[in-house]
Amino acid sequence: MSAGDLLRAERDSGSPNGDLINSYIAEGKIVPIEITCNLIKKAMERAGWDKRTYLIDGFPRSDDNCRGWNEVMGDKTELAGVVYFEADEATMTDRILARAATSGRVDDNIETLKKRFAQFNKEQLPIIMKFTQEGKVIKINACQT
Ligand code: C5P
Ligand code: MG
């Protein structure tokens, strides 16, 4: 499951949180974890809770994500590992601006992209470093075609 997809689906569902979610996405900011954690938990329950392994795309993205997840899900789940697809900003910019032609995403534009890169460097990289020190990260070179 994808955290971003779950947030976009919640926004488009007519949820009372829709405007709030959209404003965070448009600004490249991380949506408060109470919202995201609840969506992931519900998606896990829908998929079937027992004896499952889940792959979650785009999570955790911030300290707030880690804290809120551990509070609610810490004793219900076990983190097997983290897959980190690494690519340079030029490659990602090319890909995302190409995707913008068909994605319809409010954040696939150069202004939001700069904010998303800044968010990544400030909040995401330290988390990847922490998980790396714990031996939990599999890093993949995502620059190739
Ligand atoms: O992963 P994706 O590119 O779909 O994420 C798009 C946006 O969704 C992020 O920039 C952020 O605004 C929001 N998001 C979030 N928390 C997550 C994942 C995505 O707030 N864990
Ligand atoms: Mg995604």
Side-chain angles (χ1 to χ4, degrees), residues 37-58:
C37 188
N38 189 39
L39 293 173
I40 296 174
K41 184 164 177 280
K42 281 196 297 192
M44 285 176 153
E45 286 164 354
R46 272 200 305 278
W49 185 252
D50 287 345
K51 297 186 187 116
R52 290 275 184 156
T53 301
Y54 300 92
L55 179 63
I56 309 176
D57 165 36

Side-chain angles (χ1 to χ4, degrees), residues 58-96:
F59 190 87
R61 296 275 262 271
S62 65
D63 265 343
D64 182 58
N65 271 189
C66 292
R67 177 197 54 76
W69 177 265
N70 287 336
E71 264 172 39
V72 176
M73 302 293 275
D75 57 0
K76 296 187 179 65
T77 57
E78 187 188 333
L79 176 65
V82 174
V83 187
Y84 171 34
F85 292 89
E86 190 180 51
D88 58 85
E89 290 189 5
T91 302
M92 289 190 281
T93 301
D94 286 350
R95 288 177 183 169
I96 289 169

Side-chain angles (χ1 to χ4, degrees), residues 2-5 8 57-58 61 99 105 116:
S2 151
D5 284 354
R8 285 183 287 273
D57 165 36
R61 296 275 262 271
R99 182 174 74 178
R105 279 178 53 156
R116 293 166 68 192

